[in-house]
Structures are given as C-alpha cells and as structure tokens.
Amino acid sequence: MDFTIPQPLLDYRQEVVDFAKELLDDDLVIRERTSTFSRLAWQKCADFGLLRLAAPKAYGGFDDEVDIFKAVLAMEGFGYGCRDNGLALGLNAQMWTIQMTLVHHATETQKARYLPKLISGEWLAAHALTEAEAGSDIYKMQSRAEKVDGGFILNGHKRLVGMAPLADLIIVFVNARPAMGSFGITGFLLERDMEGLSTSDNQEKMGLRTHPFGEIFMEDCFVPNSHMLGGVGAGFGICNHSLEYDRCGILSSHLGAMERQLEEAIAFAKQRKQYGQSISQFQSVSNRIAEMKVRLETARLLLYKLVWLKQQDQPAMLEASMLKLLLSEHFVDSSMDAIRIYGGNGYLPDYGVERDLRDAVGGILYAGTSDIQRNIIAKFSGL
C-alpha cells in the first residue's frame, strides 16, 4: 500500500491554493453579510480551469478521462486557500452533481450542448431533487411528468436547490410513472427560458450565504424528448450513481478548510498569552488541537479511499456515506474547537472562525443528512 502522492499532483494542488488565496477572498466579508454570489469569482475559477477537472477533454476538460483524484486534491487545495465556503460548495456541486452526471448519463448531443458552456463559466447549473414532503424520503417526490406528443409536461415544486435563482441549466428529477414508485423517477434537462419554468429569489440562510439557494416551480412546463436524461425510470439509478460522486467530492473543500483552520488555531494558540504563557501550553487547548489533527487525517484517509474505489469503478455507496458522515461532522466539531481556542475573538466575525462554523452546519444536511448516512451504514452492515 503506497500513500505517496505524485509530485505533479501536489504541485497542482499548490497552484490552486495560491490562486485562491490571491484572487478570491478580498470582498468576502461584504458578500457574506449581504448573501451575494460573485459571478466574477466564479468566472475566475472557470478561467483558471477548475471546472475542467470534471469533464473529459472532448468537451473542454483536462484529460481524456476525468481524473477524480486530481480533481479532489485540487478542490481540497481550493478549500485551504479560499475562505468562501459558499463558493467552494457551488463549484463542487456543479462539478459532481451536474457535470459528472452529464458525463456518465447524457447523450453525446446533450454533452456537446451543455458541458462546454458549464466548463467555460458561461452557464450556471442546478440539481433539483428535494421537495417539501420529500427530503430524506426523496423517492416519495410528488413532482410529475406526463407524456404528451413530442415530450413531457412537468408539474411540481422543488426547494432548497443550490444555484436555483441563477441557473441556466437545471437537472430536475420528477416521477413519470407514479404507479411504479421510485422506478418511475426520470431526469430532465431544463433550460431557464422554457415556458412554465420559474425560480424564486435567493433565500437567506444560516451559513454558506454566498451560494444562492432557492425554489423551482414547474407549471405545465413542456420538455422535449431530447431533454430527457436517460430513459423513463432511469432517474433512480442516476441519482444513486451521482450521489457517490457527490459525497466523494462535494466535501473535499471542507478538508482543505479544516487544514487551514488547524494551522491558524495552532498559530493563534502559540501567540495568545494568559497567566504569563501561551495558551498552547494549557492541556485543555493542546488537547483540542490534537483532536482537530486526528479528525483531519482520518477524514483525509477515508476521502482518498473513496476516490480510489471510484477510480477502480467499484461501487462505493457505503464508503460514500461513511465519508459524508465523518467529514461533515468533523468540520462542525473542529469549528467548535477553533472557536473555543480563540475564545471571544472566535465569536466575532473578524477572524472568520464563526463563519466556518455556520458554513459547516450545512454539511450535515445537504447531500443526505447525517441521520440518513447512519441508516445507510447500518443497512450495509447487515441491520
């Protein structure tokens, strides 16, 4: 078992760190306070090539086939260098739930139409699954598709959709055969100007404020057959397949943020003095640092194992759920420890520590709550 990471990949990770530090954090405090998405920052990321990591060369990507490990390392570096966790979430969501879904499940015509626009930053995309009564029990969705001449008529309402207020492309899942339950779920590719499709304004939230969230409304929205993703009923398999990539990559930037968080907590503990010595000398503080280090490294190992499984084209639903549970909860726990180390300073916005905590909480909810991950793990364990 060789844990060596090739130097070219480490060098590229560092390039991403340097890019993110230099160009993406300047106006974060204002954007975060006003819940403002930066299209300029997004375009900088596209121009740098980040979105090329999740597409093959034929459609504008870097390599003939997507190099998942390179992409994960890059987005880990992005999380380290960029303090805008909302921007990191938006990029990862598009890469893993949109672009990779198109790579694996779209027709050649669909790939040629959408992937170049997404990779270049010209278009933004959203992945619409959740409904008011179909959150964790997602396959009980009520949104419907009725077959008509030349296509389908879609009716329904999706909520908590990242990038919904701005998306040019929406991958939406509805049920085209309600009598068949989850086996009737079908994916469609919706474009913003389609008649009968509308979205809400950006919704305020606790954290991840720079990543817009909203609702999607479909009212007698006609979608041509050419915009179906896979066949009728293929949505169930597409969702499960994309969730493995989603849970593999969407939190990779959290890992980088945890590494930065740990280094800054150590530096602060060394320079902050109380009772005539640095607080790093107090065991209660050093123990928290030790816990943050252990969380970082255990999450890293599980992430890299999951990447390896996907590189081998092996099923990884169990590992994806374990990673999602572990990494998301570790980021919350380490953010709490960072605030305790910083004391009152950590409760103020100046250091960015409280922002990490607010952003981390979202990770235990999106892409499947922690409770759902525990249920999946229990099921795979034979319960």
Side-chain angles (χ1 to χ4, degrees), residues 168-237:
D168 303 285
L169 170 69
I170 300 169
I171 296 182
V172 65
F173 293 91
V174 300
N175 203 318
R177 293 175 179 169
M180 298 184 66
S182 60
F183 293 101
I185 293 173
T186 306
F188 291 92
L189 301 166
L190 308 186
E191 297 182 18
R192 175 162 289 278
D193 60 359
M194 284 182 169
E195 186 175 353
L197 175 66
S198 61
T199 61
S200 72
D201 293 333
N202 183 31
Q203 296 174 317
E204 297 294 323
K205 46 193 186 301
M206 174 182 177
L208 300 167
R209 294 175 180 172
T210 59
H211 180 51
F213 269 55
E215 299 176 271
I216 292 172
F217 307 94
M218 296 166 287
E219 299 177 2
D220 293 332
C221 178
F222 174 74
V223 184
N225 289 325
S226 60
H227 285 246
M228 186 191 303
L229 186 63
V232 173
F236 180 81

Side-chain angles (χ1 to χ4, degrees), residues 259-273:
E259 184 175 354
R260 165 177 46 79
Q261 189 180 62
L262 173 61
E263 292 178 3
E264 292 178 349
I266 291 172
F268 180 87
K270 286 181 175 179
Q271 64 88 20
R272 171 71 170 165
K273 290 186 168 49

Side-chain angles (χ1 to χ4, degrees), residues 338-340 342-355 357-358:
I339 286 180
R340 292 187 176 103
Y342 280 76
N345 290 319
Y347 200 63
L348 301 175
D350 307 58
Y351 289 80
V353 182
E354 56 84 34
R355 183 175 62 245
L357 175 60
R358 288 188 288 104

